Coordinates of all heavy atoms in Angstrom, one line a residue:
K1 N 0.8 -1.2 0.0 CA 0.0 0.0 0.0 C 0.9 1.2 0.0 O 1.8 1.4 0.9 CB -0.9 0.0 1.3 CG -1.8 1.1 1.3 CD -2.7 1.0 2.6 CE -3.5 2.2 2.8 NZ -4.3 2.2 4.1
E2 N 0.7 2.1 -1.0 CA 1.5 3.3 -1.1 C 0.8 4.5 -0.4 O -0.4 4.7 -0.7 CB 1.7 3.6 -2.6 CG 2.8 4.7 -2.8 CD 3.1 4.9 -4.2 OE1 3.2 3.9 -5.0 OE2 3.2 6.0 -4.7
E3 N 1.5 5.3 0.4 CA 0.9 6.4 1.1 C 1.6 7.7 0.6 O 2.8 7.7 0.3 CB 1.1 6.3 2.6 CG 0.2 5.2 3.2 CD 0.2 5.1 4.7 OE1 0.5 6.1 5.3 OE2 0.0 4.0 5.2
T4 N 0.8 8.8 0.5 CA 1.4 10.1 0.2 C 1.9 10.7 1.5 O 1.2 10.8 2.5 CB 0.3 11.0 -0.4 OG1 -0.2 10.3 -1.6 CG2 0.9 12.3 -0.8
A5 N 3.1 11.2 1.4 CA 3.7 11.9 2.6 C 3.7 13.3 2.3 O 4.3 13.8 1.3 CB 5.1 11.4 2.8
W6 N 3.1 14.1 3.2 CA 3.2 15.6 3.1 C 4.3 16.1 3.9 O 4.6 15.6 5.0 CB 1.8 16.2 3.6 CG 0.7 15.8 2.7 CD1 -0.2 14.7 3.0 CD2 0.3 16.2 1.5 NE1 -1.2 14.6 2.0 CE2 -0.9 15.5 1.0 CE3 0.8 17.2 0.6 CZ2 -1.5 15.8 -0.2 CZ3 0.2 17.5 -0.6 CH2 -0.9 16.7 -1.0
H7 N 5.0 17.1 3.4 CA 6.2 17.6 4.1 C 5.9 19.1 4.5 O 5.3 19.8 3.7 CB 7.4 17.5 3.3 CG 7.9 16.1 3.2 ND1 7.4 15.2 2.3 CD2 8.8 15.4 3.9 CE1 7.9 14.0 2.4 NE2 8.8 14.1 3.4
C8 N 6.3 19.4 5.7 CA 6.2 20.8 6.1 C 7.1 21.7 5.3 O 8.3 21.4 5.1 CB 6.6 20.9 7.6 SG 6.6 22.6 8.3
K9 N 6.6 22.8 4.8 CA 7.4 23.7 4.0 C 8.5 24.4 4.8 O 9.5 24.8 4.3 CB 6.5 24.7 3.4 CG 7.3 25.8 2.5 CD 6.8 25.8 1.1 CE 7.7 26.7 0.2 NZ 6.9 27.4 -0.7
A10 N 8.2 24.6 6.1 CA 9.2 25.3 7.0 C 10.4 24.4 7.4 O 11.5 24.8 7.3 CB 8.5 25.9 8.2
C11 N 10.1 23.2 7.8 CA 11.1 22.3 8.3 C 11.5 21.2 7.4 O 12.5 20.5 7.7 CB 10.8 21.8 9.7 SG 9.5 20.6 9.7
S12 N 10.7 20.9 6.4 CA 11.0 19.9 5.4 C 10.8 18.5 6.0 O 11.0 17.5 5.3 CB 12.3 20.0 4.8 OG 12.5 21.2 4.1
K13 N 10.3 18.4 7.2 CA 10.1 17.0 7.8 C 8.6 16.6 7.4 O 7.7 17.4 7.2 CB 10.2 17.1 9.3 CG 11.6 17.3 9.7 CD 11.7 17.3 11.2 CE 13.1 17.6 11.7 NZ 13.3 17.8 13.1
A14 N 8.4 15.2 7.3 CA 7.1 14.7 7.1 C 6.1 15.1 8.1 O 6.5 15.2 9.3 CB 7.2 13.2 6.9
I15 N 4.9 15.3 7.7 CA 3.8 15.6 8.6 C 3.1 14.2 8.9 O 2.6 13.6 8.0 CB 2.8 16.6 8.0 CG1 3.5 17.9 7.9 CG2 1.6 16.8 9.0 CD1 2.7 19.0 7.1
K16 N 3.1 13.8 10.1 CA 2.6 12.5 10.5 C 1.1 12.7 10.9 O 0.6 13.8 11.2 CB 3.3 12.0 11.8 CG 4.8 11.7 11.4 CD 5.6 11.3 12.7 CE 7.0 11.1 12.3 NZ 7.8 10.9 13.5
D17 N 0.4 11.6 10.8 CA -1.1 11.6 11.1 C -1.5 12.2 12.4 O -2.5 12.8 12.5 CB -1.7 10.2 10.9 CG -1.6 9.7 9.5 OD1 -1.6 10.5 8.6 OD2 -1.7 8.5 9.3
N18 N -0.6 12.0 13.4 CA -1.0 12.5 14.8 C -0.5 13.9 15.0 O -0.7 14.5 16.1 CB -0.4 11.6 15.8 CG 1.2 11.5 15.8 OD1 1.8 12.0 14.8 ND2 1.7 11.0 16.8
Q19 N 0.1 14.6 14.0 CA 0.5 16.0 14.2 C -0.5 17.0 13.6 O -1.0 16.8 12.5 CB 1.9 16.2 13.5 CG 3.0 15.4 14.1 CD 4.3 15.5 13.3 OE1 4.3 15.4 12.1 NE2 5.4 15.8 14.1
E20 N -0.7 18.1 14.4 CA -1.6 19.1 13.9 C -0.8 19.9 12.7 O 0.3 20.2 12.8 CB -1.9 20.2 15.0 CG -2.6 19.5 16.2 CD -4.1 19.7 16.1 OE1 -4.6 19.9 15.0 OE2 -4.7 19.8 17.2
S21 N -1.6 20.1 11.6 CA -0.9 20.8 10.5 C -2.0 21.7 9.8 O -3.2 21.5 10.0 CB -0.4 19.7 9.5 OG -1.4 18.9 9.0
I22 N -1.5 22.6 8.9 CA -2.4 23.5 8.3 C -1.8 23.8 6.9 O -0.6 23.8 6.7 CB -2.6 24.7 9.1 CG1 -3.8 25.6 8.5 CG2 -1.3 25.5 9.2 CD1 -4.2 26.7 9.4
A23 N -2.7 24.0 5.9 CA -2.3 24.3 4.6 C -2.5 25.8 4.3 O -3.6 26.3 4.7 CB -3.0 23.4 3.5
C24 N -1.6 26.5 3.6 CA -1.8 27.9 3.2 C -2.9 27.9 2.1 O -2.8 27.1 1.1 CB -0.5 28.4 2.7 SG -0.6 30.1 2.0
D25 N -3.8 28.8 2.2 CA -4.9 28.9 1.2 C -4.4 29.6 -0.1 O -5.2 29.7 -1.0 CB -6.1 29.6 1.9 CG -6.8 28.7 2.8 OD1 -7.2 27.6 2.4 OD2 -7.0 29.1 4.0
H26 N -3.2 30.1 -0.1 CA -2.7 30.7 -1.4 C -1.8 29.8 -2.1 O -2.0 29.4 -3.2 CB -2.0 32.0 -1.1 CG -1.5 32.7 -2.3 ND1 -2.4 33.2 -3.3 CD2 -0.3 32.9 -2.7 CE1 -1.7 33.7 -4.3 NE2 -0.5 33.6 -4.0
C27 N -0.7 29.3 -1.4 CA 0.3 28.5 -2.1 C 0.1 27.0 -1.9 O 0.7 26.2 -2.5 CB 1.7 28.8 -1.6 SG 2.0 28.4 0.1
L28 N -0.9 26.6 -1.0 CA -1.3 25.3 -0.7 C -0.2 24.4 -0.1 O -0.2 23.2 -0.1 CB -1.8 24.6 -2.0 CG -3.0 25.3 -2.7 CD1 -3.4 24.5 -3.9 CD2 -4.2 25.5 -1.7
S29 N 0.9 25.0 0.4 CA 1.9 24.4 1.2 C 1.4 24.0 2.6 O 0.7 24.7 3.1 CB 3.2 25.2 1.2 OG 3.7 25.5 0.0
W30 N 1.9 22.9 3.1 CA 1.5 22.4 4.4 C 2.6 22.8 5.4 O 3.8 22.8 5.1 CB 1.3 20.9 4.4 CG 0.0 20.5 3.8 CD1 -0.2 20.3 2.4 CD2 -1.2 20.4 4.4 NE1 -1.6 20.0 2.2 CE2 -2.2 20.0 3.5 CE3 -1.6 20.5 5.8 CZ2 -3.5 19.8 3.8 CZ3 -3.0 20.2 6.1 CH2 -3.9 19.9 5.1
Y31 N 2.1 23.0 6.6 CA 3.0 23.4 7.8 C 2.5 22.7 9.0 O 1.4 22.5 9.3 CB 2.9 24.9 8.0 CG 3.4 25.8 6.9 CD1 2.7 26.1 5.8 CD2 4.8 26.3 7.0 CE1 3.2 26.8 4.8 CE2 5.3 27.0 5.9 CZ 4.5 27.3 4.8 OH 5.0 28.1 3.8
H32 N 3.5 22.3 9.9 CA 3.2 21.8 11.2 C 2.7 23.1 12.0 O 3.2 24.2 11.7 CB 4.4 21.4 12.0 CG 5.0 20.1 11.4 ND1 6.2 20.1 10.7 CD2 4.6 18.9 11.5 CE1 6.5 18.9 10.4 NE2 5.5 18.1 10.8
F33 N 1.8 22.9 12.9 CA 1.3 24.0 13.8 C 2.5 24.7 14.4 O 2.6 25.9 14.4 CB 0.4 23.5 14.8 CG -1.1 23.6 14.5 CD1 -1.5 23.5 13.1 CD2 -2.1 23.7 15.4 CE1 -2.8 23.5 12.8 CE2 -3.4 23.8 15.1 CZ -3.8 23.7 13.8
L34 N 3.4 23.9 15.0 CA 4.6 24.5 15.7 C 5.4 25.3 14.7 O 6.0 26.4 15.1 CB 5.4 23.4 16.4 CG 4.8 22.7 17.6 CD1 5.6 21.6 18.0 CD2 4.5 23.7 18.7
C35 N 5.6 24.9 13.5 CA 6.5 25.6 12.5 C 5.8 26.9 12.1 O 6.5 27.8 11.6 CB 6.8 24.7 11.3 SG 7.8 23.3 11.8
S36 N 4.5 27.0 12.2 CA 3.8 28.2 11.8 C 3.3 29.0 13.0 O 2.5 29.9 12.8 CB 2.5 27.8 10.9 OG 1.7 27.0 11.7
S37 N 3.9 28.7 14.1 CA 3.6 29.5 15.4 C 2.1 29.4 15.8 O 1.6 30.3 16.4 CB 4.0 30.9 15.3 OG 5.4 31.0 15.0
L38 N 1.4 28.3 15.4 CA 0.0 28.1 15.8 C 0.0 27.1 17.0 O 0.7 26.2 17.0 CB -0.8 27.5 14.7 CG -1.0 28.4 13.5 CD1 -1.7 27.7 12.3 CD2 -1.9 29.6 13.9
S39 N -1.0 27.3 17.9 CA -1.2 26.4 18.9 C -2.5 25.7 18.8 O -2.8 24.6 19.3 CB -1.0 27.0 20.3 OG -1.9 28.1 20.4
T40 N -3.5 26.4 18.1 CA -4.8 25.9 17.9 C -5.2 26.3 16.5 O -4.6 27.2 15.9 CB -5.8 26.5 18.9 OG1 -5.9 27.9 18.7 CG2 -5.5 26.1 20.3
K41 N -6.2 25.6 16.0 CA -6.8 25.9 14.7 C -7.2 27.4 14.6 O -8.0 27.8 15.5 CB -7.9 25.0 14.3 CG -8.4 25.2 12.9 CD -9.6 24.2 12.7 CE -10.1 24.5 11.3 NZ -11.2 23.6 11.0
P42 N -6.8 28.1 13.6 CA -7.3 29.6 13.5 C -8.8 29.6 13.4 O -9.4 28.8 12.7 CB -6.6 30.1 12.2 CG -5.5 29.1 11.9 CD -5.9 27.8 12.5
K43 N -9.4 30.7 13.9 CA -10.9 30.9 13.7 C -11.2 31.4 12.4 O -12.3 31.3 11.9 CB -11.4 31.8 14.8 CG -11.3 31.2 16.2 CD -11.8 32.1 17.3 CE -11.6 31.5 18.6 NZ -12.2 32.2 19.7
A44 N -10.2 32.1 11.7 CA -10.5 32.7 10.4 C -10.7 31.6 9.4 O -10.2 30.5 9.5 CB -9.3 33.5 10.0
R45 N -11.5 31.9 8.4 CA -11.9 30.9 7.4 C -10.6 30.5 6.6 O -10.5 29.4 6.2 CB -13.0 31.5 6.5 CG -13.4 30.7 5.4 CD -14.5 31.3 4.6 NE -14.8 30.5 3.4 CZ -15.5 31.0 2.3 NH1 -15.9 32.2 2.4 NH2 -15.7 30.3 1.3
N46 N -9.8 31.5 6.2 CA -8.6 31.3 5.5 C -7.4 31.5 6.3 O -7.3 32.4 7.2 CB -8.6 32.2 4.2 CG -9.8 31.9 3.4 OD1 -10.8 32.5 3.5 ND2 -9.6 31.0 2.4
W47 N -6.3 30.7 6.0 CA -5.0 30.9 6.7 C -4.0 31.1 5.6 O -4.0 30.3 4.6 CB -4.7 29.7 7.6 CG -3.4 29.9 8.3 CD1 -3.2 30.6 9.4 CD2 -2.2 29.4 7.9 NE1 -1.9 30.6 9.8 CE2 -1.2 29.8 8.9 CE3 -1.7 28.6 6.9 CZ2 0.1 29.5 8.8 CZ3 -0.4 28.2 6.8 CH2 0.5 28.6 7.7
F48 N -3.0 32.0 5.8 CA -2.0 32.2 4.9 C -0.6 32.1 5.6 O -0.5 32.7 6.7 CB -2.1 33.6 4.2 CG -3.4 33.8 3.4 CD1 -4.4 34.4 4.0 CD2 -3.5 33.3 2.1 CE1 -5.7 34.5 3.3 CE2 -4.7 33.4 1.4 CZ -5.8 34.0 2.0
C49 N 0.3 31.5 4.9 CA 1.7 31.4 5.6 C 2.4 32.8 5.5 O 1.9 33.7 4.9 CB 2.5 30.4 4.8 SG 2.9 30.8 3.0
K50 N 3.4 32.9 6.3 CA 4.1 34.1 6.3 C 4.6 34.7 5.0 O 4.4 35.9 4.7 CB 5.4 34.0 7.3 CG 6.1 35.2 7.6 CD 7.4 34.9 8.3 CE 7.2 35.0 9.8 NZ 8.5 35.0 10.5
N51 N 5.1 33.8 4.1 CA 5.5 34.2 2.8 C 4.4 34.8 1.9 O 4.5 35.8 1.3 CB 6.2 33.1 2.1 CG 7.5 32.6 2.7 OD1 8.2 33.4 3.3 ND2 7.8 31.4 2.4
C52 N 3.3 34.1 2.0 CA 2.1 34.6 1.2 C 1.5 35.9 1.8 O 1.1 36.7 1.0 CB 1.0 33.5 1.1 SG 1.6 32.1 0.0
K53 N 1.5 36.0 3.1 CA 1.0 37.2 3.7 C 1.8 38.4 3.2 O 1.3 39.5 2.9 CB 1.2 37.1 5.2 CG 0.1 36.4 5.9 CD 0.3 36.5 7.4 CE -0.7 35.7 8.1 NZ -0.5 35.8 9.6
T54 N 3.2 38.2 3.1 CA 4.0 39.3 2.6 C 3.8 39.5 1.2 O 3.7 40.7 0.7 CB 5.5 38.9 2.9 OG1 5.7 38.7 4.3 CG2 6.4 40.0 2.4
K55 N 3.7 38.4 0.4 CA 3.5 38.6 -1.0 C 2.2 39.3 -1.4 O 2.1 40.1 -2.3 CB 3.5 37.2 -1.7 CG 4.4 37.0 -2.8 CD 4.2 35.6 -3.5 CE 4.9 34.6 -2.7 NZ 4.8 33.2 -3.3
L56 N 1.1 38.9 -0.6 CA -0.2 39.5 -0.9 C -0.5 40.8 -0.1 O -1.6 41.3 -0.2 CB -1.3 38.5 -0.6 CG -1.2 37.2 -1.4 CD1 -2.1 36.1 -0.8 CD2 -1.5 37.4 -2.8
N57 N 0.5 41.3 0.7 CA 0.4 42.4 1.6 C -0.9 42.3 2.5 O -1.6 43.2 2.7 CB 0.2 43.7 0.7 CG 1.5 44.1 0.0 OD1 2.6 43.9 0.6 ND2 1.3 44.5 -1.2
L58 N -1.1 41.1 3.1 CA -2.2 40.9 3.9 C -2.0 41.4 5.3 O -2.9 41.4 6.1 CB -2.5 39.4 4.0 CG -2.9 38.7 2.8 CD1 -3.1 37.2 3.0 CD2 -4.1 39.3 2.2
N59 N -0.9 42.0 5.6 CA -0.6 42.6 6.9 C -1.1 44.1 6.9 O -1.1 44.7 8.0 CB 0.8 42.5 7.3 CG 1.2 41.1 7.5 OD1 0.4 40.3 8.1 ND2 2.4 40.8 7.3
L60 N -1.4 44.6 5.8 CA -1.8 46.0 5.6 C -3.2 46.2 5.9 O -4.1 45.3 5.8 CB -1.5 46.5 4.2 CG 0.0 46.4 3.7 CD1 0.0 46.8 2.3 CD2 0.9 47.2 4.6
F61 N -3.6 47.4 6.4 CA -5.0 47.7 6.6 C -5.4 48.7 5.5 O -4.7 49.6 5.1 CB -5.2 48.3 8.0 CG -5.1 47.3 9.1 CD1 -3.9 46.8 9.6 CD2 -6.3 46.8 9.6 CE1 -3.8 45.8 10.5 CE2 -6.3 45.8 10.6 CZ -5.0 45.3 11.1
T62 N -6.7 48.6 5.1 CA -7.2 49.4 4.1 C -8.4 50.3 4.6 O -9.3 49.7 5.3 CB -7.8 48.5 2.9 OG1 -6.7 47.7 2.5 CG2 -8.3 49.3 1.8
P63 N -8.4 51.5 4.3 CA -9.6 52.4 4.7 C -10.9 52.0 4.0 O -10.8 51.6 2.9 CB -9.1 53.8 4.4 CG -8.0 53.7 3.4 CD -7.4 52.3 3.6
V64 N -11.9 52.0 4.8 CA -13.3 51.7 4.1 C -13.8 53.1 3.8 O -14.1 53.9 4.7 CB -14.2 51.0 5.1 CG1 -15.6 50.7 4.5 CG2 -13.6 49.6 5.5
L65 N -14.0 53.4 2.6 CA -14.4 54.7 2.1 C -15.8 55.1 2.8 O -16.7 54.4 2.9 CB -14.7 54.7 0.6 CG -13.4 54.5 -0.2 CD1 -13.7 54.4 -1.7 CD2 -12.4 55.6 0.0
G66 N -15.8 56.4 3.3 CA -16.9 57.0 3.9 C -17.3 56.5 5.2 O -18.3 56.9 5.8
T67 N -16.4 55.7 5.9 CA -16.7 55.2 7.2 C -15.8 55.6 8.3 O -16.1 55.6 9.5 CB -16.8 53.6 7.3 OG1 -15.5 53.1 7.0 CG2 -17.8 53.1 6.2
G68 N -14.5 56.0 7.9 CA -13.5 56.3 8.9 C -12.9 55.1 9.5 O -12.1 55.2 10.4
R69 N -13.3 53.9 9.1 CA -12.8 52.6 9.6 C -11.7 52.1 8.7 O -11.6 52.5 7.6 CB -13.9 51.5 9.7 CG -15.0 51.9 10.7 CD -15.9 50.7 10.8 NE -16.4 50.1 9.5 CZ -16.3 48.9 9.2 NH1 -15.7 48.0 10.0 NH2 -16.7 48.5 8.0
R70 N -10.9 51.2 9.3 CA -9.8 50.5 8.6 C -10.0 49.1 8.8 O -10.3 48.7 9.9 CB -8.5 51.0 9.0 CG -8.2 52.5 8.6 CD -6.9 52.9 9.2 NE -5.7 52.4 8.6 CZ -5.1 52.7 7.5 NH1 -5.6 53.7 6.8 NH2 -4.0 52.1 7.1
I71 N -10.0 48.3 7.7 CA -10.1 46.8 7.8 C -8.9 46.1 7.3 O -8.2 46.7 6.5 CB -11.4 46.3 7.1 CG1 -11.3 46.6 5.6 CG2 -12.7 46.9 7.7 CD1 -12.3 45.9 4.8
P72 N -8.6 44.9 7.7 CA -7.4 44.2 7.2 C -7.6 44.1 5.6 O -8.7 43.8 5.1 CB -7.5 42.9 7.8 CG -8.3 43.1 9.1 CD -9.3 44.1 8.8
A73 N -6.5 44.2 4.9 CA -6.5 44.1 3.5 C -7.0 42.7 3.1 O -7.7 42.6 2.1 CB -5.2 44.4 2.9
S74 N -6.8 41.7 3.9 CA -7.2 40.4 3.5 C -8.7 40.3 3.5 O -9.3 39.6 2.6 CB -6.7 39.3 4.6 OG -7.2 39.7 5.9
S75 N -9.4 41.0 4.3 CA -10.9 41.1 4.3 C -11.3 41.7 3.0 O -12.3 41.2 2.4 CB -11.4 41.9 5.5 OG -11.1 41.3 6.7
L76 N -10.7 42.7 2.6 CA -11.0 43.5 1.3 C -10.8 42.5 0.1 O -11.7 42.4 -0.7 CB -10.2 44.7 1.2 CG -10.5 45.6 0.0 CD1 -12.0 46.1 0.1 CD2 -9.6 46.8 -0.1
I77 N -9.8 41.7 0.1 CA -9.5 40.8 -1.0 C -10.6 39.8 -1.1 O -11.1 39.6 -2.2 CB -8.1 40.1 -0.7 CG1 -7.0 41.1 -1.0 CG2 -8.0 38.9 -1.7 CD1 -5.6 40.6 -0.6
F78 N -11.1 39.3 0.1 CA -12.1 38.3 0.1 C -13.4 38.9 -0.4 O -14.2 38.3 -1.0 CB -12.3 37.6 1.4 CG -11.1 36.8 1.7 CD1 -10.4 37.0 2.9 CD2 -10.5 35.9 0.8 CE1 -9.3 36.2 3.2 CE2 -9.5 35.1 1.1 CZ -8.8 35.3 2.3
Q79 N -13.7 40.2 -0.1 CA -14.9 40.8 -0.5 C -14.9 41.1 -2.0 O -15.9 40.8 -2.7 CB -15.1 42.2 0.2 CG -15.4 42.0 1.7 CD -15.4 43.4 2.5 OE1 -15.4 44.4 1.8 NE2 -15.4 43.3 3.7
I80 N -13.7 41.4 -2.5 CA -13.6 41.7 -4.0 C -13.7 40.3 -4.7 O -14.4 40.3 -5.7 CB -12.2 42.3 -4.3 CG1 -12.2 43.7 -3.8 CG2 -11.9 42.3 -5.8 CD1 -10.8 44.3 -3.8
L81 N -13.1 39.3 -4.2 CA -13.2 38.0 -4.8 C -14.5 37.2 -4.5 O -14.8 36.2 -5.1 CB -12.1 37.1 -4.4 CG -10.6 37.5 -4.7 CD1 -9.6 36.6 -4.1 CD2 -10.5 37.6 -6.2
N82 N -15.3 37.8 -3.6 CA -16.6 37.3 -3.2 C -16.4 35.9 -2.7 O -17.1 34.9 -3.0 CB -17.6 37.3 -4.4 CG -19.0 37.1 -3.8 OD1 -19.3 37.4 -2.7 ND2 -19.9 36.7 -4.7
V83 N -15.4 35.7 -1.8 CA -15.0 34.4 -1.3 C -15.7 34.3 0.1 O -15.8 35.2 0.9 CB -13.6 34.2 -1.1 CG1 -13.2 32.9 -0.4 CG2 -12.9 34.3 -2.5

């Protein structure tokens, strides 16, 4: 029986069945929770690795026109993409 082994993009070690792991919703790479600084599953619908956050400028905040509020750019991207 052949099994597919997923490897953590951060440490390159195999992700075992009993290890908590998460996939980036942009690059689809897998990470151990510990390698991604997570201790529990994120509450957000989407999760992005550090590289993709930088690439997509998801750490920036965007003003909401006419409201005086600022929201995370990631929220704006999902609103635009209707995700």
Side-chain angles (χ1 to χ4, degrees):
K1 180 179 171 183
E2 193 175 317
E3 292 186 25
T4 303
W6 297 100
H7 289 82
C8 175
K9 178 117 184 219
C11 72
S12 300
K13 293 181 182 175
I15 297 173
K16 298 177 183 170
D17 289 340
N18 64 343
Q19 293 177 311
E20 299 265 25
S21 60
I22 192 165
C24 174
D25 286 305
H26 181 68
C27 68
L28 304 179
S29 296
W30 283 88
Y31 293 84
H32 293 109
F33 268 29
L34 291 175
C35 294
S36 60
S37 301
L38 293 172
S39 56
T40 60
K41 183 179 177 183
K43 292 182 182 184
R45 180 177 171 196
N46 298 91
W47 181 83
F48 299 97
C49 67
K50 187 188 264 187
N51 292 336
C52 289
K53 280 183 184 178
T54 302
K55 231 186 280 184
L56 299 170
N57 291 321
L58 295 180
N59 294 326
L60 301 177
F61 284 81
T62 305
V64 179
L65 295 176
T67 65
R69 295 186 311 124
R70 294 172 68 81
I71 61 169
S74 58
S75 297
L76 184 61
I77 289 170
F78 294 126
Q79 289 172 15
I80 292 169
L81 297 175
N82 200 21
V83 177

